[in-house]
Amino acid sequence: MEQPVQTETWKARSLEELVRILHQIFAEDKVSVDEVQSLMESYESNPEEWLQYAKFDQYRYTRNLVDNGNGKFNLMILCWGEGHGSSIHDHTDSHCFMKILQGNLKETLFEWPEKKGNGEMTKKSERALRENQCAYINDSIGLHRVENISHTEPAVSLHLYSPPFNTCNTFDQRTGHKHKVTMTFYSQFGERTVCVSTRWGASH
Amino acid sequence: LPAGLSQWFPALEVLDVSGTGLTEMGTELLSLPCLHTLLAKNNRLGGPGSLPKGLGQAPLARSLRVLNLSGNRFSEVPPALLQLRGLRSLSLGGNRLHGIPPDIQELQSLEFLYLGGNFITAIPPELGNLPSLRYLVLCDNKIQSIPPQLAQLHSLRSLSLHNNLLTYLPREILNLVHLDELSLRGNPLVVRFVRDLTFNPPSLQELAGRTIKTRNVPYAPSDLPESLVRYLSLASNCPNPKCGGVYFDSCVRQIKFVDFCGKYRLPLMHYLCSPECSSPFSSASQSSTSQSESDSEDEASVAAHRMQKVLLG
């Protein structure tokens, strides 16, 4: 993705319109990160439009595929129960946009561990993301952990990944050791997908 | 709660009074025979009288399945709550609890227990007496240790312990066969091999008890005072598989590291019958990086099958 000379200022008035405009943007050869981020932020979350994708699991957060972007991107909704969080993870050389649809999420950024490092990972920063805010990350920025630290409110977030990926690395905060994991979808296009494999789908 | 609620809606099954500023829930609750879900989060409940008297005798005690009191001001679990025998799901997240009452074991149907975000410092062993418990959340508290009795929660699938004050875990945690997820980040877990050197020598009574047990000295209840018969029944086997010894009260606490799936090292607390018993791996204790004792490898392969989803980082 590079920055073209002109960037549009989009306003998505519904989730459907957001998806439509995303298809339009990603049909081009060059896509602007700022353009996608402001488009995502412009959509004012309306639960009626996404409730069908928001399937919660008692034990951990869920990934629910909304649109597969003609292979150019994956758009999905993540549902975080109280106290649910992800491991520290990377983004497999892809771009990651994360917009809060409901509730709040805490994002903690970490430095990449040293190659031979065997110590505690370094926290870079942390922030609380509010409803409708859209965050962006890629591997050159760093690694992050995302968590719903509320003990009373569930949280829902909308994620866009480009290009799509289904494996990533999770990191042990105490040692920096990494471990490759495969991610799975709890539901796709509003339909619950039952996983045949018992292998755990970690992080996102 | 509005007066007359049970008259207008006698068949009420789900009641959500979250975020209404309630300071108490009165006797209207007692006359709702069909109520199975009560959501009262983010209120001002917590003082005396938050729950009505006579709750244990009301139909609610048998019908209520889900109770959410998160985001209130409870500084202790109200005793009346423990009379809700049909309860399957209880949330007291984000309150001001300093402990968990042992009588929590009265809630025998409990499957889901959320206690995250309180000020809990210790867990009563009685919490292990909940045979249906599948999901236990204790994150964001001030817990310093986990009682080994928690390993009796054989239905447990998910245990959330992140952001506490744990330095180690009891090795019995390996017995939780169905445990899929365990979160431990944000705890000051020891990373180096630690050996508790303060070993209190066993009493004469204990030495005699050990001899009777290990030598299989026969005895009948008529031979000994009842208190000693009871004492002998409390012998614990030394967990060291190479040792056939037993111990009663006097034991060595030792922290051993167990590798999970070759990726994470969890410090688990062992109780051994004597400092000498730990000698199979005490020679390795000087080197904090050497962890390849045969014992830990056995345990690691067992653990690898059982705990694939340990979330440490």
Side-chain angles (χ1 to χ4, degrees), chain A residues 115-133:
Chain A
K115 270 216 149 59
K116 294 235 172 115
N118 203 355
E120 181 96 25
M121 284 175 69
T122 314
K123 227 183 257 195
K124 274 188 2 171
S125 64
E126 63 183 44
R127 58 175 169 166
L129 297 167
R130 299 171 319 271
E131 277 185 18
N132 285 314
Q133 198 176 346

Side-chain angles (χ1 to χ4, degrees), chain B residues 98-112:
Chain B
H98 281 84
I100 305 169
D103 282 344
I104 192 89
Q105 62 181 339
E106 299 289 306
L107 299 175
Q108 283 288 300
S109 305
L110 212 55
E111 295 173 13
F112 177 109

Side-chain angles (χ1 to χ4, degrees), chain A residues 1 26 63 65 67-76 91-96 159-168 183 185 204:
Chain A
M1 284 191 186
F26 279 89
R63 306 168 78 240
L65 183 67
D67 191 274
N68 56 19
N70 285 335
K72 296 272 184 75
F73 62 84
N74 267 351
L75 187 69
M76 64 190 76
H91 296 88
T92 321
D93 292 324
S94 288
H95 303 266
C96 160
H159 297 238
L160 186 147
Y161 300 102
S162 179
F165 60 94
N166 62 1
T167 66
C168 72
M183 296 107 76
F185 289 114
H204 75 276

